[in-house]
């Protein structure tokens, strides 16, 4: 079997920008906490966000670069570097989504065919990944963002198509355990979970997707396909995704009614 090709987890141009940003910060003698308080015209960001910018794990906005240029007395250099290194930088696909997911302030996730990876039980994940232990461990490890203490977990909204509950993954026991996990999730994980009634005429029927809102209020959307996943962040590219999200939300049940639907499907189909 051929060796699996390693995928870049950061963009070299973002790393270059972050390195120069860190040098300006250090020249002022400021900690990440200190400079974080000065971002967004005094509204501030978390020190973790500054660390992500400095290591190239996130793409900051031009507004962030302008504020930091002013605060760090960079004399326009940070803005020029943003134009040269950040503006046209693309996130590598697939695994590069993970730093975005980890650093998001909000995650809005629509699941068309399968339970979202952040809510899968070990049995469901292993069955869906055809018994691949390493991939299962990697998927379950992602779920730690929902229970971490620092930084706080992202605010998460999960919109689950009703058909997900009816599609068997593994066996009935796996499905029943997965239903139990979904029923408990709003209380144990502090997430919002809504069942979307099955309809054939809304934009969400094309694909599952996740929209991440980052600390600087930038949005990045993520889609999966059989070959790989990919991200979208240009405003014009996000228009159709936001439209699909509005249509999906219009069909979503309140949390209490959604949990009743899960219990009903579990009792009638998976026990």
């Amino acid at each position: 079997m051929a060796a699996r090709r390693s995928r870049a987890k950061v963009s070299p141009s973002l790393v270059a920008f972050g390195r120069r940003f860190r040098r300006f910060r250090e020249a002022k003698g400021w900690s990440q906490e200190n400079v974080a308080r000065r971002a967004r015209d005094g509204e501030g960001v978390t020190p973790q966000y500054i660390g992500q910018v400095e290591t190239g794990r996130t793409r900051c906005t031009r507004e962030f670069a302008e504020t930091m240029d002013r605060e760090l007395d960079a004399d326009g250099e940070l803005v020029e570097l943003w134009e040269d290194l950040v503006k046209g930088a693309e996130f590598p696909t697939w695994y590069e989504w993970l730093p975005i997911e980890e650093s998001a302030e909000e995650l809005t996730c629509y699941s068309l065919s399968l339970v979202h990876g952040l809510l899968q039980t070990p049995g469901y994940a292993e069955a869906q990944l055809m018994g691949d232990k390493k991939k299962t461990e990697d998927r379950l490890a992602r779920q730690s963002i929902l229970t971490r203490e620092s930084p706080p977990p992202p605010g998460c909204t999960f919109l689950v198509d009703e058909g997900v509950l009816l599609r068997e993954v593994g066996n009935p026991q796996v499905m029943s355990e997965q239903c139990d996990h979904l029923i408990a999730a709003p209380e144990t994980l502090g997430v919002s979970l809504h069942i979307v009634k099955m309809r054939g005429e809304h934009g969400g029927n094309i694909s599952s997707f996740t929209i991440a809102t980052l600390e600087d209020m930038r949005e990045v959307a993520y889609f999966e396909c059989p070959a790989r996943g990919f991200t979208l962040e240009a405003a014009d590219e996000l228009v159709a995704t936001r439209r699909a999200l509005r249509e999906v939300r219009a069909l979503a049940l309140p949390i209490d009614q959604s949990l009743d639907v899960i219990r009903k499907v579990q009792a009638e189909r998976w026990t």
Side-chain angles (χ1 to χ4, degrees):
M1 180 181 296
R4 181 179 296 176
R5 184 172 57 184
S6 175
R7 295 175 183 262
K9 293 194 176 184
V10 293
S11 166
S13 60
L14 298 184
V15 171
F17 176 86
R19 186 181 298 118
R20 187 60 178 147
F21 176 88
R22 183 175 65 250
R23 288 175 182 167
F24 275 115
R25 174 179 63 79
E26 292 174 344
K28 296 284 280 188
W30 292 349
S31 65
Q32 290 182 345
E33 290 80 3
N34 191 302
V35 75
R37 290 194 295 270
R38 300 167 183 267
R40 296 177 61 188
D41 293 325
E43 293 184 22
V45 294
T46 62
Q48 289 86 355
Y49 180 79
I50 300 300
Q52 289 158 2
V53 171
E54 292 186 351
T55 55
R57 287 171 63 84
T58 194
R59 238 185 80 169
C60 65
T61 63
R62 180 185 173 90
E63 289 75 16
F64 175 88
E66 289 172 346
T67 300
M68 292 294 97
D69 188 279
R70 183 169 60 252
E71 294 291 334
L72 296 171
D73 297 322
D75 196 28
E77 184 173 341
L78 275 179
V79 176
E80 291 180 3
L81 288 171
W82 187 92
E83 290 285 344
D84 292 341
L85 299 174
V86 179
K87 182 178 180 180
E90 295 183 355
F91 283 119
T93 57
W94 201 41
Y95 277 122
E96 184 57 22
W97 169 252
L98 300 188
I100 302 173
E101 186 177 74
E102 291 168 0
S103 61
E105 286 282 298
E106 298 279 343
L107 291 170
T108 303
C109 314
Y110 170 60
S111 300
L112 174 61
S113 57
L114 296 167
V115 172
H116 193 281
L118 291 178
L119 291 182
Q120 291 181 5
T121 63
Y124 188 102
E126 185 172 356
Q128 196 263 311
L129 294 170
M130 307 299 289
D132 189 312
K133 300 293 186 181
K134 179 61 170 61
K135 287 183 178 180
T136 301
E137 291 173 0
D138 289 345
R139 177 165 296 179
L140 297 177
R142 289 169 49 199
Q143 299 176 1
S144 64
I145 69 169
L146 301 180
T147 56
R148 68 192 182 195
E149 294 184 1
S150 180
C156 291
T157 299
F158 293 95
L159 300 155
V160 183
D161 188 271
E162 189 176 13
V164 171
L165 305 176
L166 306 175
R167 183 171 292 105
E168 183 170 354
V169 174
N171 55 51
Q173 181 179 348
V174 168
M175 293 301 299
S176 183
E177 292 172 352
Q178 181 64 68
C179 287
D180 283 336
H181 186 60
L182 294 177
I183 291 167
E187 181 176 349
T188 60
L189 298 176
V191 302
S192 296
L193 190 147
H194 304 270
I195 297 302
V196 179
K197 300 298 290 182
M198 284 192 295
R199 295 293 297 270
E201 67 273 17
H202 64 80
N205 283 306
I206 296 175
S207 173
S208 299
F209 59 85
T210 297
I211 298 178
T213 303
L214 305 185
E215 192 167 357
D216 56 12
M217 304 310 294
R218 180 164 48 90
E219 289 185 332
V220 182
Y222 178 73
F223 297 81
E224 289 184 346
C225 66
R228 59 175 175 84
F230 60 96
T231 60
L232 298 175
E233 60 176 323
D236 58 340
E237 295 177 331
L238 289 172
V239 170
T241 307
R242 293 195 191 98
R243 182 184 304 114
L245 178 60
R246 289 195 299 271
E247 294 173 359
V248 167
R249 283 188 184 276
L251 295 172
L253 298 174
I255 293 177
D256 56 346
Q257 293 182 29
S258 295
L259 300 186
D260 286 343
V261 169
I262 299 173
R263 293 187 185 99
K264 185 174 186 292
V265 172
Q266 181 185 39
E268 293 181 351
R269 195 175 182 96
W270 305 124
T271 56

